[in-house]
């Protein structure tokens, strides 16, 4: 959920899409400016953080990757919980991956929060000669379903920063505060920890 | 799935998910499957539609209860001790980052037909209406002794070796009456029966310290914390840990038949005509019914209500312990309540649970004293489930089976089982030496 404080917005962003569509590559390009030709499934990375400045706010994205749990349709409800934004990624050289992207959009509409900002990314636009999904088809699908659409390339960095920037601009600026915010347990000392423990 | 794995885990209950996470982090190749199409197995939290499907067949939930997805009804209601071992495991594995917690408002005990707040310290003992004036002072001194007791500092032992002195003898030194002993033993030390009275007092003293230190931890009215959106978040969070470290997840896999070689050692798991090879299998009792035996039965009631439990100071989350003796039973009865304040129900709704170890052939009627403290309920579901424990020899068949969840109010026994299983599987102990007194809650 996007939360506000001095025009600082924290937003959980989830990635969805087929294995091999380039979800992790998009994140790595955006967060680290890297691209690996043979990207192994990411091991040990729970999520990435990246901060973007837009006109009126600083947006800190907490980006969740599927960790492979999409492969056998075993993503947990926790994955969608509280997400303020989602990027649904397909490989534009692979019509099957576009068809499955539509399934992920349906899943999001079922599980996600209704105000979520959704982006459709047709990835691997650097492989234009192998294109099998037209930009027009994807754009009209996106418009009908309330997503915005961009074609991206994690390899050449085309539109990668742009798609995150566009999401940051579209995030609602005033979201109702979450039902009394919970606490996160952390492994670090605070003075309050031992204060007022009764007695003696 | 036609591959070879180090470990195949069957069932996505909390125990199995913690183990899957720990084993993946160790670098083992893990395949984790569940016959259900949701995470959590017996420790899942169900939405309203799932709850109705489970208990009411084809009926639809009534519209006045609100949206199905606003409900997260725990199938294994428990609270987490703020300083307990589950919190240690969460911090050790860094799984805390997926979860949000809130303190539980109140901890109460049933005594002579009434509900009282459980005193956790000498100061609270002096204020508690549970005891008369002189008894309060005696109890206060006993609490003071427990608070000051340090295992490593003989000066605090006051000449008693608690590994030898029984709890009964320690308590009699302070002259406490049976009524006081009852709530201290069951509502503070959280013993399930009265065996502890004849056992060395050290365990009880450490349990009391855990209780009072947990109460002090978040300055709440109880020693407990509870995750927003229900306990079903816990297995999901550990499953994500496992996946992030390379674990493969498959839900909705029918059958999951464990295959053995001629020597009776596990060699793989078959589902939908495909067999995945593995060296070891970890599972809950339902996946290997021939290698477990029934050890008990838990009876419970699940209630949806529109008000907090009466006489709990309007607590939006609360535990009430009804000690066995107060009810003339052999085992304690536990009442839990959570609500929209922990995001387990829509605004204005409360979910209450009454559970106990079944002692008769009519477990439903055994629950009456617990249900009576709830006041009027909108909906009520009765349920019983059998508890199993493994009878196999894991060193012979390489099957590591968890014990069914017990009726206890917290996760201490759950995590003990998990840590023992981890040691059996890997030959190592989990190093849980996180600095708990330094760990604290950050408001997000």
């Amino acid at each position: 959920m996007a939360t506000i404080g001095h025009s600082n917005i924290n937003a959980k962003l989830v990635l969805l899409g087929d294995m091999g569509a380039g979800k992790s590559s998009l994140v790595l390009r955006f967060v680290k400016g890297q691209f690996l030709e043979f990207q192994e499934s990411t091991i040990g990375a729970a999520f990435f953080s990246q901060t973007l400045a837009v006109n009126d706010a600083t947006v800190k994205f907490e980006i969740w990757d599927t960790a492979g749990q999409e492969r056998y349709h075993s993503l947990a409800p926790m994955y969608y919980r509280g997400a303020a934004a989602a990027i649904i990624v397909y490989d534009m050289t692979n019509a099957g991956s576009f068809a499955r992207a539509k399934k992920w959009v349906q899943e999001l509409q079922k599980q996600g929060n209704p105000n979520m900002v959704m982006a459709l990314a047709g990835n691997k636009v650097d492989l234009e000669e192998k294109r099998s999904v037209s930009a027009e088809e994807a754009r009209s699908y996106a418009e009908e379903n309330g997503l915005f659409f961009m074609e991206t390339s994690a390899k050449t960095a085309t539109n990668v920063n742009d798609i995150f920037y566009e999401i940051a601009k579209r995030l609602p600026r005033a979201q109702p505060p979450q039902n009394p915010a919970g606490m996160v347990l952390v492994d670090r000392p605070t003075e309050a920890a031992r204060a007022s423990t009764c007695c003696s | 799935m036609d591959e070879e794995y180090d470990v195949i885990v069957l069932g996505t209950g909390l125990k199995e998910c913690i183990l899957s996470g720990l084993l993946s982090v160790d670098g083992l190749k893990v395949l984790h499957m569940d016959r259900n199409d949701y995470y959590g197995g017996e420790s899942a939290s169900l939405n309203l539609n799932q709850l109705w499907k489970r208990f009411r067949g084809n009926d639809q939930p009534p519209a006045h209860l609100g949206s199905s997805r606003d409900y997260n009804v725990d199938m294994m209601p428990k609270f987490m001790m703020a300083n307990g071992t589950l919190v240690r495991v969460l911090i050790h594995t860094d799984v805390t980052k997926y979860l949000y917690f809130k303190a539980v408002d109140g901890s109460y005990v049933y005594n002579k037909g009434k509900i009282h707040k459980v005193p956790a310290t000498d100061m609270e003992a002096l204020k508690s209406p549970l005891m008369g004036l002189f008894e309060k002072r005696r109890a206060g001194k006993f609490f003071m002794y427990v608070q000051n007791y340090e295992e490593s500092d003989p000066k605090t032992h006051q000449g008693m070796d608690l590994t030898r002195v029984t709890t009964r003898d320690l308590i009699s030194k302070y002259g406490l009456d049976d009524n006081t002993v009852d709530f201290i033993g069951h509502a503070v030390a959280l013993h399930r029966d009265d065996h502890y009275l004849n056992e060395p007092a050290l365990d009880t003293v450490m349990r009391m310290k855990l209780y009072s230190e947990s109460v002090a931890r978040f300055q709440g009215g109880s020693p407990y914390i509870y995750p927003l959106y229900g306990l079903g978040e816990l297995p999901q969070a550990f499953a994500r840990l496992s996946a992030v470290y390379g674990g493969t997840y498959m839900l909705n896999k029918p059958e999951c038949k464990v295959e053995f070689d001629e020597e009776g050692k596990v060699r793989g798991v078959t589902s939908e005509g495909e067999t995945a090879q593995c060296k070891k299998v970890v599972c809950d009792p339902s996946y290997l019914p021939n290698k477990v035996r029934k050890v008990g039965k838990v009876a419970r009631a699940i209630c949806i209500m529109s008000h907090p439990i009466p006489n709990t100071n309007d607590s939006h989350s609360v535990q009430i312990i009804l000690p066995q003796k107060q009810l003339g039973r052999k085992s304690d009865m536990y009442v839990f309540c959570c609500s929209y304040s922990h995001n387990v129900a829509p605004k204005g709704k409360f979910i209450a649970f009454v559970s106990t170890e079944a002692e008769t052939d009519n477990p439903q009627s055994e629950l009456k004293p617990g249900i009576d403290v709830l006041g009027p309920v909108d909906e009520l579901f009765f349920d019983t489930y059998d508890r199993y424990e493994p009878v196999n020899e894991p060193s012979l068949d390489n099957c590591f089976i968890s014990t069914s969840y017990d009726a206890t109010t917290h996760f201490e026994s759950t995590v003990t089982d998990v840590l023992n299983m981890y040691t059996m599987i890997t030959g190592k102990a989990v190093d849980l030496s996180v600095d708990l007194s330094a760990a604290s809650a950050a408001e997000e």
Side-chain angles (χ1 to χ4, degrees), chain A residues 10 42-47 62-69 71-79 81-82 109-114 178-190 192-200, chain B residues 1 39 69 72 87 90-91 96-103 121-123 147 213 216-219 225 228-229 233 236-237 239-240 243-251 340-341 343 434-435 437-444:
Chain A
N10 291 312
T42 336
I43 299 278
F47 44 66
E62 182 182 278
I63 304 166
W64 288 45
D65 206 343
T66 54
Q69 283 176 303
R71 185 166 174 189
Y72 301 103
H73 293 276
S74 302
L75 275 174
M78 163 181 280
Y79 187 71
R81 181 112 57 219
Q109 286 164 341
K110 209 166 69 189
Q111 301 244 27
N113 97 67
Q178 215 181 352
N179 181 8
M183 58 201 181
V184 180
L185 301 173
V186 292
D187 193 2
R188 110 179 144 229
T190 66
R194 298 293 300 173
S196 71
T197 50
C198 75
C199 65
S200 67
Chain B
M1 113 173 221
Y39 280 91
R69 58 185 270 180
N72 297 290
V87 170
L90 284 165
I91 292 171
T96 50
K97 64 184 166 229
Y98 302 131
L99 301 163
Y100 291 86
F101 294 93
K102 273 170 83 173
T121 65
D122 57 331
M123 294 301 278
Q147 276 152 222
E213 285 165 10
R217 174 84 176 276
F218 298 123
Q219 329 281 295
I225 58 174
L228 296 187
Y229 303 104
E233 297 295 280
Q236 292 179 42
R240 180 164 167 85
V244 162
Y245 280 88
T248 301
Y249 274 82
M250 295 183 180
L251 299 184
Y340 57 95
S341 78
N343 297 10
V434 293
D435 186 0
S437 66
S440 64
E443 293 290 340
E444 279 281 296

Side-chain angles (χ1 to χ4, degrees), chain B residues 109-114 116 119 128-132 135 139 171 175-188 194 196 323 325-326:
Chain B
V109 62
Y110 180 87
N111 191 272
K112 296 180 183 160
K114 281 194 174 158
H116 298 280
S128 174
L130 271 165
M131 295 165 284
E135 182 69 3
I171 289 173
L176 303 181
D177 67 34
D178 285 353
N179 193 41
T180 309
V181 174
D182 201 38
F183 84 72
I184 288 178
H186 292 261
V188 181
D194 276 345
Y196 72 96
K325 237 185 227 164
Q326 300 288 329

